[in-house]
Amino acid sequence: MSNLDFIYKRHSVRKFKEEQVPIGDIKEMIKAATYAPSGKNVQNWHFVVVRDKEKIQEMARIIEKKHEEVAAYTKDEKKREKFMKFLRYFTVFKNAPSVVIVYAGEYPVTALDLLKEGGASKEEIHSLLKPSPGIQNIGAAMENLLLAAANMGYGGCWMTGPNYAKDEIAEFIGFEKEGYTFAAMTPIGIPDGEVKSPPRKDVEEVMTIIE
């Protein structure tokens, strides 16, 4: 046993039992999420919890419709078929008892205004924004949420694929918060069946030590 076991409990869960997750437990997960590091302490996150099964299934149908629309943009049949294969991954939440959508608010990049004032090139500005510091806050919060869920006996699956339908989803659930946009979502529920994660790369392969 290791003190890091709480990390290794987390897996991507895509199949859930029907039993609903108590709202108190979801609040605890979201509280854990809000303890993630946040640049400038802006805490630019907002969590929308959907617990109505009909609404969850309708969100999946919205994504299915949008997916077909996007697939129709290409005339390349092979490309279209490949894209269509992703649909089942983008709608795995449809049978989960609860779904948490994480919205990202605006994030002030300290050097951005100064670079613009100094006549920085588009390439330099793009290079500054490429790491997406505001979205990194959301990523940290989502990881905390999923770690908390796993340690409370639940499971989830970090999803960003449905982002192309973010406007349609926001309109359907009736969520509107100025400056905030759909960043990621996760189903939350009790895992149904054995859960495994794919092998990880060896640490030596992904680590460089400079002494």
Side-chain angles (χ1 to χ4, degrees):
M1 298 292 287
S2 164
N3 288 334
L4 298 180
D5 282 350
F6 74 98
I7 290 177
Y8 304 124
K9 286 181 181 178
R10 190 214 62 79
H11 303 280
S12 293
V13 178
R14 299 179 176 89
K15 189 176 180 182
F16 305 90
K17 295 182 178 180
E18 292 187 6
E19 183 178 340
Q20 183 57 276
V21 181
I23 191 62
D25 286 356
I26 291 179
K27 286 182 178 179
E28 282 299 315
M29 297 173 207
I30 292 176
K31 180 180 178 180
T34 66
Y35 274 72
S38 170
K40 301 185 182 71
N41 195 34
V42 295
Q43 302 181 50
N44 59 316
W45 43 56
H46 190 96
F47 305 87
V48 175
V49 182
V50 184
R51 290 161 56 80
D52 183 286
K53 287 192 174 183
E54 291 185 6
K55 284 186 170 64
I56 290 172
Q57 290 174 359
E58 181 59 27
M59 286 195 303
R61 285 190 285 269
I62 288 170
I63 292 169
E64 288 170 357
K65 181 180 178 181
K66 187 71 173 184
H67 199 87
E68 291 174 356
E69 290 177 6
V70 174
Y73 293 161
T74 182
K75 303 299 182 183
D76 186 326
E77 188 60 30
K78 287 186 177 179
K79 188 181 292 186
R80 183 184 181 282
E81 288 179 2
K82 183 178 180 181
F83 180 72
M84 288 302 297
K85 289 180 180 178
F86 286 102
L87 178 57
R88 66 190 184 97
Y89 294 106
F90 295 171
T91 57
V92 294
F93 65 86
K94 63 184 177 182
N95 292 317
S98 289
V99 171
V100 177
I101 305 173
V102 189
Y103 281 79
E106 296 174 354
Y107 180 86
V109 179
T110 307
L112 183 59
D113 288 340
L114 296 179
L115 284 172
K116 288 181 177 179
E117 188 176 330
S121 66
K122 290 183 179 179
E123 290 76 15
E124 189 173 0
I125 290 174
H126 175 71
S127 179
L128 174 68
L129 298 177
K130 194 173 181 180
S132 301
I135 292 297
Q136 289 190 42
N137 296 343
I138 306 304
M142 177 65 93
E143 181 68 357
N144 270 22
L145 191 155
L146 292 173
L147 289 173
N151 277 276
M152 295 170 70
Y154 301 108
C157 182
W158 191 327
M159 301 176 65
T160 58
N163 282 14
Y164 54 57
K166 61 183 181 181
D167 293 337
E168 291 85 351
I169 291 173
E171 182 179 0
F172 170 68
I173 63 177
F175 176 76
E176 185 177 352
K177 187 176 176 71
E178 186 176 353
Y180 280 73
T181 186
F182 183 117
M185 64 188 294
T186 178
I188 295 290
I190 299 173
D192 187 9
E194 185 179 8
V195 180
K196 292 183 178 180
S197 289
R200 263 35 184 182
K201 293 179 180 179
D202 187 88
V203 172
E204 300 299 329
E205 183 181 347
V206 300
M207 176 179 67
T208 298
I209 300 176
I210 300 175
E211 297 179 326

